[in-house]
Amino acid sequence: MITYLKKEWLDDLTARKEQVIAYRRYLHQFPELSFQEFKTSQFIVDEMSKLENVVVTRPTETSVLVKIKGGKPGKKIGLRADIDALPIEEDRDELDFKSQVPGAMHACGHDGHTAILMVATQFLAEHAQELSGEVYAIFQHAEETPPGGAKEMVATGLFDDFDFIYGHHLFTPYPLGTMDIKAGPNTGNSDLYELTIYGKGGHAAMPHTSIDPIIIGAQILEKMQTIISRKLNPVNAAIISNTVFQAGSIDAKNVIPSTAFLSGSVRSNDAEERQIIAQEIDRVAKATCDAYGASYQLDYQWGYSAVNNDQATTAIVKEIAEDLFPGQVTQLPISLGGEDFSAFSDLVPATYIWIGAGNAEKGYDYPHHHPKFALDEDSFLIGLQMFVAVSMNYTELAE
């Protein structure tokens, strides 16, 4: 059996786990929201600039790129970690590293991703002579807020000639140590819609004199669900989640309002059906409003496209993972969660995997984006080993 990490490397990485935890806990205390990661990115720059054999640059105002040139010829690959936090008040008073920023927390694990990549970069810089090709640590800003930081970084043109970009996500819905690795679609197309219905207000006792936007909105919501069940191939995954319906005033219960506002999230994993959903939402809104003499305005917001894992690169990553973590690699159903790593996977061959970081016994099983979200830090070593193993072996395995 091929060994993708030497024993001395494994021992070295295990010893670095405490440094990962220290970085993560520091970052966790000082979360910054999308496009506002000024202190976070400066912290990364300061720490990475201490290393030898690296070139540290700032592709955008709040992102960081660290280049490590190997001692041997080889491929040009990227390792990606997202660095931003969420506008959520943390509810974890027992943590001595709880967020110190009111209304903000790392509720998705990006602090863990960043810390792991920082330590992986340190290891790779120290072993640059044993490295083939060039490895770039991509500390990406603004994953949580469309249009997303990945798209902004890709627009610089810096990644056009990369041979491969790898990323992973620590994921609490999966038990600690589980690794989900699959080729093809891995996340969903993630879009939003906002729909305003313009009717005619009136007295609740005389509805015939009004054009009731609430009735119209309710019918539109019901018809939207038939887009999924009757317009799309049931083999493909898609969902329309209507999350906002606002109309009228609680202080005016006898008044039919003149407008209603609907909004929600649209997820899919097929590019053609993504377009169909958007067209059908507009068609349903128009037909229903026309039937009642109302008008409407639809703002359909195209978000992140689905992450698509390249067949060849994913086979390599899976081979490495199965060697390092036998019996822990599986292939789970596609998630419809959004992930702007898709900007990289749309550009060059890429692979994105999920690493289990949940542990119910420790209370680390809350979903992502929850005020009580927390990671099992034992998952960090898995992510660290994967970053290093992919970097050290990709060139040889891809040839």
Side-chain angles (χ1 to χ4, degrees):
M1 179 182 292
I2 299 173
T3 300
Y4 295 109
L5 287 177
K6 302 175 184 178
K7 184 181 184 305
E8 58 265 32
W9 291 356
L10 285 169
D11 292 342
D12 186 354
L13 293 172
T14 300
R16 296 175 192 250
K17 178 183 172 184
E18 292 306 313
Q19 180 63 71
V20 180
I21 292 173
Y23 278 150
R24 181 262 172 151
R25 293 187 176 186
Y26 173 80
L27 292 166
H28 193 86
Q29 293 179 75
F30 306 104
E32 293 181 297
L33 304 182
S34 300
F35 300 105
Q36 301 173 32
E37 310 94 332
F38 298 103
K39 293 180 180 178
T40 301
S41 58
Q42 188 60 53
F43 175 71
I44 296 168
V45 168
D46 291 344
E47 290 298 303
M48 297 297 96
S49 296
K50 297 175 183 177
L51 303 175
E52 297 180 356
N53 304 315
V54 303
V55 178
V56 181
T57 56
R58 304 291 293 265
T60 68
E61 192 174 20
T62 58
S63 66
V64 182
L65 188 65
V66 184
K67 173 185 176 181
I68 308 163
K69 184 173 179 58
K72 299 179 286 185
K75 305 291 185 180
K76 187 173 184 178
I77 72 171
L79 308 175
R80 180 268 205 168
D82 35 20
I83 70 174
D84 56 327
L86 285 155
I88 297 173
E89 186 74 29
E90 186 165 20
D91 186 15
R92 281 280 186 177
D93 290 338
E94 76 278 12
L95 298 180
D96 59 8
F97 56 92
K98 179 184 175 183
S99 171
Q100 297 182 25
V101 180
M105 73 170 285
H106 274 289
C108 200
H110 297 184
D111 51 340
H113 302 167
T114 303
I116 293 168
L117 185 54
M118 289 175 69
V119 174
T121 304
Q122 291 171 341
F123 178 94
L124 293 170
E126 293 171 17
H127 294 80
Q129 289 307 307
E130 300 169 89
L131 186 66
S132 298
E134 296 176 356
V135 174
Y136 292 75
I138 305 166
F139 295 94
Q140 183 218 303
H141 62 306
E143 189 280 328
E144 297 288 0
T145 304
K151 184 176 181 179
E152 199 171 72
M153 294 186 80
V154 164
T156 65
L158 292 171
F159 307 94
D160 292 354
D161 62 346
F162 274 46
D163 294 295
F164 171 53
I165 296 179
Y166 166 79
H168 55 230
H169 203 305
L170 303 174
F171 202 51
T172 58
Y174 298 162
L176 176 67
T178 303
M179 304 177 72
D180 174 33
I181 305 177
K182 54 180 172 285
N186 193 16
T187 65
N189 302 305
S190 177
D191 305 319
L192 302 170
Y193 81 89
E194 294 181 352
L195 174 65
T196 303
I197 302 167
Y198 300 98
K200 180 182 177 183
H203 197 291
M206 295 178 285
H208 61 290
T209 66
S210 70
I211 299 174
D212 190 342
I214 295 178
I215 294 293
I216 297 169
Q219 291 191 27
I220 289 173
L221 293 186
E222 182 178 9
K223 292 174 182 177
M224 275 189 189
Q225 297 309 310
T226 65
I227 296 172
I228 302 298
S229 65
R230 291 298 178 268
K231 294 292 183 178
L232 306 183
N233 187 335
V235 172
N236 295 327
I239 189 69
I240 301 174
S241 291
N242 311 106
T243 56
V244 179
F245 193 145
Q246 298 173 344
S249 169
I250 194 170
D251 297 320
K253 298 181 179 65
N254 61 346
V255 175
I256 294 173
S258 59
T259 63
F261 177 78
L262 287 65
S263 184
S265 175
V266 182
R267 307 297 174 107
S268 60
N269 68 358
D270 181 87
E272 183 177 346
E273 292 193 347
R274 183 187 195 186
Q275 300 289 330
I276 291 173
I277 294 172
Q279 294 165 7
E280 287 296 311
I281 288 177
D282 185 70
R283 186 187 65 80
V284 164
K286 183 179 188 306
T288 309
C289 287
D290 285 350
Y292 288 91
S295 60
Y296 73 99
Q297 179 177 339
L298 175 64
D299 179 13
Y300 198 90
Q301 301 166 17
W302 300 99
Y304 304 151
S305 60
V307 172
N308 274 284
N309 284 342
D310 178 79
Q311 294 282 342
T313 64
T314 303
I316 291 172
V317 171
K318 186 175 182 181
E319 180 179 335
I320 293 171
E322 287 178 335
D323 175 73
L324 292 175
F325 308 101
Q328 294 176 228
V329 178
T330 186
Q331 183 171 322
L332 298 168
I334 297 168
S335 166
L336 288 182
E339 169 55 68
D340 83 336
F341 184 84
S342 58
F344 295 116
S345 71
D346 288 345
L347 181 70
V348 300
T351 296
Y352 194 74
I353 74 171
W354 306 89
I355 297 175
N359 191 325
E361 291 183 1
K362 295 181 181 179
Y364 298 158
D365 58 345
Y366 285 88
H368 292 243
H369 296 204
H370 190 283
K372 287 186 176 293
F373 173 82
L375 295 166
D376 189 328
E377 293 176 331
D378 287 339
S379 64
F380 295 175
L381 185 57
I382 299 172
L384 181 60
Q385 291 175 352
M386 286 300 297
F387 270 146
V388 171
V390 168
S391 300
M392 287 294 188
N393 294 281
Y394 181 79
T395 287
E396 181 180 351
L397 293 173
E399 292 177 346

